Amino acid sequence: MHQKNPFKKTFFDLKELVDGIQENLLCPATIEDTNHRLHAYSSHEDDTDSARIGTIISQRVPEKVINRLWKVGVIPKLMQSDSALRIPHIEDIGLRDRVAISIRKNNEILGYIWVVEGHTKLNDTQLDLLKDAAVAAMPLMDKLHQNRKRKEENYQDFLWQLLNGQHKTLQEIHDKFYDLNLKMPDSFSVLAFRFEQDISRKIEEQISYLITTSQKITNHFLVVMDEELILIASPHSSQLDDKAFDDFISFFISEMANRFSIHEIKGSAGASYNNFDKAQSSYQEAIKVLEMKERFPEELKNIHHFRKLGAFRYLDLIPKEQRVKHYEHPAIAKLEEYDSLHKSNLLKTLEVFIQQDSNMNDAAKKLFVHTNTLHYRIKRISEIGGIRLNNTHEKIGIYLDLKARKIDGK
């Protein structure tokens, strides 16, 4: 008698389905969404692997497991195939032999089913059953996916208004959070990313994937506006405050390039605040960092956080004062005139020297000259400009004047 296919029916929920997978394939199974958040899991024996235990405890696949699966090409293959994929064990991340399959709706991936194989490997008939289980999971995962999308759409307009200062009082903001059934975090920073192109729905899903799986920050809300991505986030409980944001921004930019071939993203973070009436302030600080990075790409290449901008926080206040009083350090004009007459570059040399904290070796490397050459140039700069280069205040003043020129487009 022909055995009836156990997955050719409607399941009440994912828990019922995952138990059905274990019962019919005799292997522990998990079902997760596209961002590797756990939605259902079956029981397992005491000797199961650490990757599965870690996933169940934290309700998501551990970051080190996800990163390795990307590195060895497993996740890209899963995303491209609608067939079951066999994954050999990877001992150092605690992953035993597995079989995985994507859950799809047309060309859109909604999640994955993972099965831990025992000593007896799944045969072709069982692999076909797993494919049927993925089809059975589709309507259940689609419902979860649609609900999440609706919730995001509901709060995006409110958050955009909040970041632009249209909700003024704390009470008004609290009431809106309550109406939208949103939880207000105890503290937060606004992170801003600028892309080279408008952010499509597909790119938004890739963004969501990286944010969710990185586990470096706790992202509370995500807002997309044209080519700008804004996150309202806190450091992950395992991370230090500002370092968590720096690490995440660097990770996000590099992995969007490595995994999804999206390049030239710039990222920043505003200061942390406890009250949401300061959301606009944190957002404006993050935007200020992006603007400064645009104007000073070399100097601020590795700076992401507003509080690390230092003197660059005040540069755009200087040019207005200069235009009114027509003042900058007189050494600049003297060196400019000398460079023009002698086709030299003493002014640039001075700028690099101060920028490298007066370190002869570092400045020489940056200028591609011998340290002896640089020593001679610095001596001439002091003589021609009448500068005391052992005076910190004078050096900082000249440096700010030179940087302020770029703000003014000189």
Side-chain angles (χ1 to χ4, degrees), residues 116-140:
V116 183
E117 283 191 299
H119 296 297
T120 306
K121 304 303 176 194
L122 298 182
N123 58 38
D124 289 345
T125 303
Q126 290 172 311
L127 292 175
D128 287 339
L129 282 177
L130 188 58
K131 196 169 184 177
D132 292 333
V135 173
M138 188 275 286
L140 296 168

Short mmCIF file of all heavy atoms in Angstrom, two decimals, residues 116-140:
data_model
loop_
_atom_site.label_atom_id
_atom_site.label_comp_id
_atom_site.label_asym_id
_atom_site.label_seq_id
_atom_site.Cartn_x
_atom_site.Cartn_y
_atom_site.Cartn_z
N VAL A 116 19.57 18.10 11.80
CA VAL A 116 20.84 17.52 12.24
C VAL A 116 20.81 16.03 11.92
O VAL A 116 19.98 15.28 12.44
CB VAL A 116 21.05 17.71 13.76
CG1 VAL A 116 22.41 17.15 14.18
CG2 VAL A 116 20.96 19.19 14.13
N GLU A 117 21.73 15.60 11.04
CA GLU A 117 21.77 14.18 10.66
C GLU A 117 22.46 13.33 11.74
O GLU A 117 23.39 13.80 12.40
CB GLU A 117 22.54 14.01 9.35
CG GLU A 117 21.75 14.42 8.12
CD GLU A 117 22.45 14.00 6.86
OE1 GLU A 117 23.58 14.46 6.62
OE2 GLU A 117 21.89 13.21 6.09
N GLY A 118 21.99 12.12 11.88
CA GLY A 118 22.64 11.18 12.79
C GLY A 118 23.67 10.35 12.04
O GLY A 118 24.18 10.76 10.98
N HIS A 119 23.99 9.16 12.55
CA HIS A 119 24.96 8.28 11.87
C HIS A 119 24.41 7.81 10.53
O HIS A 119 25.15 7.62 9.56
CB HIS A 119 25.29 7.07 12.77
CG HIS A 119 25.98 7.49 14.04
ND1 HIS A 119 27.21 8.10 14.05
CD2 HIS A 119 25.60 7.38 15.34
CE1 HIS A 119 27.57 8.35 15.30
NE2 HIS A 119 26.60 7.93 16.11
N THR A 120 23.09 7.61 10.47
CA THR A 120 22.46 7.21 9.21
C THR A 120 22.04 8.46 8.46
O THR A 120 21.28 9.28 8.96
CB THR A 120 21.21 6.33 9.48
OG1 THR A 120 21.59 5.25 10.32
CG2 THR A 120 20.63 5.81 8.18
N LYS A 121 22.57 8.61 7.25
CA LYS A 121 22.30 9.80 6.46
C LYS A 121 20.91 9.72 5.82
O LYS A 121 20.41 8.64 5.53
CB LYS A 121 23.35 10.01 5.37
CG LYS A 121 24.78 10.07 5.91
CD LYS A 121 24.93 11.18 6.93
CE LYS A 121 26.33 11.21 7.55
NZ LYS A 121 26.37 12.06 8.75
N LEU A 122 20.31 10.88 5.59
CA LEU A 122 19.01 10.92 4.93
C LEU A 122 19.13 10.40 3.50
O LEU A 122 20.06 10.77 2.78
CB LEU A 122 18.47 12.35 4.90
CG LEU A 122 18.20 13.03 6.26
CD1 LEU A 122 17.63 14.43 6.04
CD2 LEU A 122 17.26 12.21 7.11
N ASN A 123 18.18 9.55 3.11
CA ASN A 123 18.19 9.02 1.73
C ASN A 123 17.40 9.96 0.81
O ASN A 123 16.84 10.96 1.25
CB ASN A 123 17.64 7.59 1.70
CG ASN A 123 16.22 7.51 2.24
OD1 ASN A 123 15.41 8.41 2.01
ND2 ASN A 123 15.91 6.43 2.96
N ASP A 124 17.37 9.61 -0.46
CA ASP A 124 16.73 10.49 -1.45
C ASP A 124 15.25 10.71 -1.16
O ASP A 124 14.72 11.81 -1.34
CB ASP A 124 16.90 9.91 -2.86
CG ASP A 124 18.34 10.01 -3.34
OD1 ASP A 124 19.11 10.79 -2.72
OD2 ASP A 124 18.71 9.33 -4.32
N THR A 125 14.56 9.65 -0.71
CA THR A 125 13.14 9.77 -0.38
C THR A 125 12.94 10.75 0.77
O THR A 125 12.04 11.60 0.75
CB THR A 125 12.57 8.39 0.02
OG1 THR A 125 12.80 7.46 -1.06
CG2 THR A 125 11.08 8.48 0.32
N GLN A 126 13.81 10.67 1.77
CA GLN A 126 13.71 11.58 2.91
C GLN A 126 14.05 13.02 2.52
O GLN A 126 13.44 13.97 3.02
CB GLN A 126 14.64 11.11 4.03
CG GLN A 126 14.17 9.82 4.70
CD GLN A 126 15.20 9.27 5.67
OE1 GLN A 126 16.39 9.16 5.32
NE2 GLN A 126 14.76 8.93 6.86
N LEU A 127 15.00 13.18 1.61
CA LEU A 127 15.33 14.52 1.12
C LEU A 127 14.16 15.13 0.36
O LEU A 127 13.90 16.34 0.45
CB LEU A 127 16.58 14.49 0.23
CG LEU A 127 17.90 14.16 0.93
CD1 LEU A 127 19.04 14.04 -0.08
CD2 LEU A 127 18.26 15.22 1.98
N ASP A 128 13.43 14.29 -0.39
CA ASP A 128 12.21 14.77 -1.08
C ASP A 128 11.14 15.18 -0.06
O ASP A 128 10.44 16.18 -0.27
CB ASP A 128 11.66 13.69 -2.01
CG ASP A 128 12.51 13.51 -3.26
OD1 ASP A 128 13.26 14.46 -3.60
OD2 ASP A 128 12.44 12.44 -3.89
N LEU A 129 11.04 14.42 1.04
CA LEU A 129 10.08 14.76 2.10
C LEU A 129 10.44 16.12 2.72
O LEU A 129 9.55 16.92 3.05
CB LEU A 129 10.06 13.69 3.18
CG LEU A 129 9.28 12.40 2.88
CD1 LEU A 129 9.43 11.41 4.03
CD2 LEU A 129 7.80 12.71 2.65
N LEU A 130 11.74 16.36 2.88
CA LEU A 130 12.18 17.65 3.44
C LEU A 130 11.79 18.80 2.52
O LEU A 130 11.38 19.87 2.98
CB LEU A 130 13.70 17.63 3.67
CG LEU A 130 14.30 18.83 4.42
CD1 LEU A 130 13.67 18.98 5.80
CD2 LEU A 130 15.81 18.70 4.54
N LYS A 131 11.87 18.55 1.22
CA LYS A 131 11.46 19.57 0.25
C LYS A 131 9.95 19.84 0.38
O LYS A 131 9.51 21.00 0.31
CB LYS A 131 11.80 19.08 -1.17
CG LYS A 131 11.79 20.18 -2.22
CD LYS A 131 12.40 19.68 -3.52
CE LYS A 131 12.46 20.81 -4.54
NZ LYS A 131 13.12 20.39 -5.79
N ASP A 132 9.17 18.78 0.60
CA ASP A 132 7.72 18.95 0.80
C ASP A 132 7.44 19.71 2.10
O ASP A 132 6.51 20.51 2.18
CB ASP A 132 7.03 17.58 0.84
CG ASP A 132 7.06 16.88 -0.52
OD1 ASP A 132 7.13 17.60 -1.54
OD2 ASP A 132 7.05 15.64 -0.56
N ALA A 133 8.28 19.46 3.12
CA ALA A 133 8.11 20.18 4.39
C ALA A 133 8.36 21.68 4.20
O ALA A 133 7.67 22.51 4.81
CB ALA A 133 9.07 19.61 5.44
N ALA A 134 9.34 22.03 3.35
CA ALA A 134 9.63 23.44 3.06
C ALA A 134 8.43 24.11 2.37
O ALA A 134 8.11 25.27 2.65
CB ALA A 134 10.88 23.56 2.20
N VAL A 135 7.76 23.36 1.49
CA VAL A 135 6.55 23.87 0.82
C VAL A 135 5.44 24.08 1.84
O VAL A 135 4.74 25.10 1.84
CB VAL A 135 6.10 22.91 -0.31
CG1 VAL A 135 4.76 23.36 -0.88
CG2 VAL A 135 7.15 22.83 -1.41
N ALA A 136 5.30 23.13 2.78
CA ALA A 136 4.27 23.24 3.82
C ALA A 136 4.55 24.42 4.76
O ALA A 136 3.62 25.02 5.32
CB ALA A 136 4.20 21.93 4.62
N ALA A 137 5.83 24.76 4.94
CA ALA A 137 6.21 25.86 5.83
C ALA A 137 5.94 27.23 5.22
O ALA A 137 5.80 28.23 5.94
CB ALA A 137 7.69 25.74 6.19
N MET A 138 5.85 27.27 3.88
CA MET A 138 5.76 28.56 3.19
C MET A 138 4.60 29.45 3.66
O MET A 138 4.83 30.61 4.03
CB MET A 138 5.69 28.34 1.67
CG MET A 138 5.80 29.63 0.86
SD MET A 138 4.22 30.48 0.65
CE MET A 138 3.45 29.41 -0.56
N PRO A 139 3.35 28.97 3.72
CA PRO A 139 2.27 29.88 4.14
C PRO A 139 2.41 30.37 5.58
O PRO A 139 2.06 31.50 5.90
CB PRO A 139 0.99 29.03 3.96
CG PRO A 139 1.46 27.61 3.86
CD PRO A 139 2.82 27.66 3.31
N LEU A 140 2.97 29.52 6.45
CA LEU A 140 3.16 29.91 7.85
C LEU A 140 4.23 30.98 7.97
O LEU A 140 4.08 31.97 8.70
CB LEU A 140 3.55 28.68 8.68
CG LEU A 140 2.49 27.57 8.77
CD1 LEU A 140 3.09 26.30 9.36
CD2 LEU A 140 1.29 28.03 9.60
#
